[in-house]
Amino acid sequence: MRKLTCTLLCLLMILSTTFCLTGCKSRTDEMAGLEAHTDKQINKMKKQVIKCINKQDKEGLKKLFSKDAQKHIEDLDGKLDQLIGAFNGNKIESAKGSGTDFEGSADAQPLHIYGDYSLKLINGEKYVIMINICDIDDDNKEKEGLYQITLMTFPKDAAPEEFYIETNDDDYGIFIYKKDGIQQ
């Protein structure tokens, strides 16, 4: 009887330890899954934005913006023209990310994803583009999509002294900064 009790206690301890370790692993897996999801979503949006800029497809770019952003960005068509025009017809050759970040989770919505990319143009110029999307918002589907693009027509290391971007991550809009510090 004593052997049976010891065996059952050992088995119970092994099962509880396994259950605890599995629980920790699933949380780690969940976080890794969320990071993989955010990277996939922002990379997909980045490719679509670059494709539209390279084709000078203003309507395609406009459709990437959430319905809510389309309603709230003042003179969206004019700002899209300025964004596409800032490239002076030069195509984007490459876009290297310096980081993806997110705010929220699939459970605590909305899920906002931010991407920051150094662009190299065909003519050798270097720009920086920041893309902000709302990936998941089950309570307000109209907010899902692109809601902010910030373009710097110079690389980060060539930013003018005391350069400061005056946007908030949650602001709707298209913001263009030129090397002389002028925002359009």
Side-chain angles (χ1 to χ4, degrees):
M1 181 76 169
R2 200 169 192 196
K3 259 187 171 179
L4 180 62
T5 305
C6 283
T7 304
L8 285 174
L9 280 174
C10 285
L11 184 60
L12 190 58
M13 286 175 53
I14 291 170
L15 287 174
S16 65
T17 303
T18 303
F19 178 75
C20 288
L21 290 176
T22 304
C24 292
K25 187 175 186 300
S26 67
R27 176 69 179 152
T28 304
D29 289 347
E30 181 183 328
M31 289 305 291
L34 183 58
E35 287 181 29
H37 171 80
T38 58
D39 287 344
K40 180 181 175 184
Q41 294 305 99
I42 198 70
N43 282 328
K44 180 180 168 186
M45 184 62 74
K46 172 196 70 167
K47 287 177 183 175
Q48 291 174 322
V49 167
I50 289 172
K51 181 180 176 183
C52 289
I53 290 171
N54 282 344
K55 289 185 171 189
Q56 297 183 2
D57 180 7
K58 180 173 88 172
E59 288 305 312
L61 196 52
K62 186 176 186 176
K63 288 178 185 175
L64 296 176
F65 279 87
S66 71
K67 289 180 179 19
D68 198 48
Q70 289 180 35
K71 289 181 207 172
H72 290 94
I73 297 174
E74 190 176 319
D75 189 25
L76 178 59
D77 288 321
K79 288 183 179 178
L80 288 168
D81 286 334
Q82 288 176 353
L83 176 68
I84 291 170
F87 290 88
N88 299 316
N90 294 301
K91 294 192 183 303
I92 299 168
E93 184 177 278
S94 67
K96 295 191 175 159
S98 61
T100 301
D101 201 3
F102 61 91
E103 179 181 296
S105 71
D107 298 329
Q109 298 177 17
L111 175 60
H112 291 173
I113 307 172
Y114 313 104
D116 189 352
Y117 303 95
S118 295
L119 304 177
K120 182 178 178 194
L121 308 186
I122 291 288
N123 67 355
E125 288 186 53
K126 295 180 181 179
Y127 289 3
V128 175
I129 193 166
M130 292 166 257
I131 300 170
N132 298 356
I133 65 173
C134 177
D135 184 48
I136 302 171
D137 191 343
D138 288 340
D139 294 336
N140 196 346
K141 292 288 188 187
E142 284 197 348
K143 290 190 175 197
E144 291 181 353
L146 182 62
Y147 66 88
Q148 184 185 97
I149 294 178
T150 303
L151 178 70
M152 298 181 335
T153 60
F154 50 87
K156 284 183 181 179
D157 59 359
E161 196 172 306
E162 298 181 25
F163 174 73
Y164 178 72
I165 294 179
E166 297 181 28
T167 61
N168 181 325
D169 284 341
D170 295 331
D171 289 343
Y172 288 134
I174 298 171
F175 307 94
I176 302 169
Y177 294 89
K178 298 195 176 223
K179 192 166 186 167
D180 56 14
I182 297 173
Q183 177 189 353
Q184 292 184 333

